[in-house]
């Protein structure tokens, strides 16, 4: 699967080939032997549905951490990853990409990054494979509107709809001491 460039090492943006005609389309969304994800083992698949303006995240799991391969199977989202690896030259910086049901791009977000997205279409179905099992005791978050991280969400702040948990998440500076991730160069 072709890989597109990213600015932060570790993030992998994939552009699968879409075979479409008047009947619809076919796209291969995952292949274990793909060089871009060789050695990455997924153990859990998740599916979320959200309406326009919903912002989910920025989430991560402490401990060994979890990598996620994210795609939008219906609609359009703005998908974001924030580098939270201590010692990284990109610490606290973010990258965001539009993922949609037309180009079918996917973003691999490895452990050491917080992840979130904002729904741009009326409805969006987001699918993601994880390298570890969800554990509520290890789940953490950082504020999606942290002014120091300064994610440029493509919708006005007044249109963003966050859960109570996400709205109350700490800023990265407040959560940093608990995050175990270290940049390995």
């Amino acid at each position: 699967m072709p890989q597109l460039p990213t600015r932060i090492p570790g993030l992998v943006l994939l552009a699968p080939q879409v075979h479409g005609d008047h009947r619809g389309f076919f796209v291969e969304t995952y292949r274990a032997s793909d060089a871009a994800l060789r050695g990455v083992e997924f153990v859990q698949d998740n599916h979320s549905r959200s309406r326009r303006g919903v912002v989910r995240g920025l989430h991560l799991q402490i401990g060994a951490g979890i990598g996620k391969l994210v795609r939008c199977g219906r609609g359009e989202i703005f998908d974001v990853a924030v580098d939270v690896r201590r010692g990284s030259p990109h610490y606290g910086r973010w990258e965001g990409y539009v993922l949609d049901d037309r180009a079918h791009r996917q973003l691999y977000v490895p452990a050491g990054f917080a992840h979130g997205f904002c729904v741009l279409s009326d409805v969006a179905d987001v699918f993601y494979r994880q390298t570890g099992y969800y554990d509520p005791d290890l789940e953490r978050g950082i504020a999606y509107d942290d002014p120091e991280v300064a994610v440029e969400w493509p919708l006005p702040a007044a249109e963003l709809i966050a859960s109570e948990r996400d709205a109350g998440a700490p800023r990265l500076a407040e959560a940093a001491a608990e995050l175990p991730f270290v940049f390995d160069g």
Side-chain angles (χ1 to χ4, degrees):
M1 193 175 308
Q3 190 174 336
L4 301 174
T6 62
R7 294 184 315 274
I8 300 176
L11 294 177
V12 179
L13 185 61
L14 300 170
Q17 187 173 15
V18 180
H19 305 277
D21 61 23
H22 66 281
R23 301 167 299 154
F25 70 87
F26 171 84
V27 63
E28 183 177 284
T29 61
Y30 175 72
R31 179 181 289 243
S33 63
D34 193 307
L37 298 175
R38 189 167 291 128
V40 176
E41 182 179 335
F42 296 104
V43 299
Q44 180 176 328
D45 283 359
N46 299 307
H47 177 176
S48 72
R49 177 172 291 157
S50 306
R51 65 184 176 95
R52 180 178 171 79
V54 167
V55 61
R56 294 187 184 267
L58 301 161
H59 302 145
L60 64 147
Q61 210 165 289
I62 59 171
I66 287 182
K68 297 178 182 178
L69 179 60
V70 184
R71 69 183 180 90
C72 184
R74 174 184 181 194
E76 180 177 69
I77 64 171
F78 184 67
D79 202 53
V80 171
V82 179
D83 189 345
V84 296
R85 301 170 295 175
R86 213 174 296 109
S88 168
H90 306 284
Y91 181 82
R93 295 204 345 226
W94 63 274
E95 281 197 49
Y97 299 96
V98 171
L99 304 181
D100 60 35
D101 60 7
R102 294 175 306 281
H104 295 279
R105 288 184 176 160
Q106 300 178 68
L107 183 63
Y108 177 66
V109 181
F113 287 78
H115 171 259
F117 64 87
C118 170
V119 178
L120 304 177
S121 54
D122 289 340
V123 175
D125 284 349
V126 177
F127 302 90
Y128 52 101
R129 293 177 168 246
Q130 293 190 166
T131 61
Y133 296 106
Y134 171 76
D135 183 338
D137 294 332
L138 298 177
E139 184 177 30
R140 299 295 184 273
I142 61 173
Y144 70 91
D145 57 355
D146 181 333
E148 291 180 28
V149 175
V151 173
E152 294 174 16
W153 299 105
L155 296 178
E159 289 184 33
L160 297 178
I161 305 162
S163 69
E164 188 175 318
R165 178 190 68 170
D166 290 347
R171 293 179 175 187
L172 177 56
E174 299 164 337
E178 185 181 19
L179 304 180
F181 310 107
V182 177
F183 181 71
D184 62 10

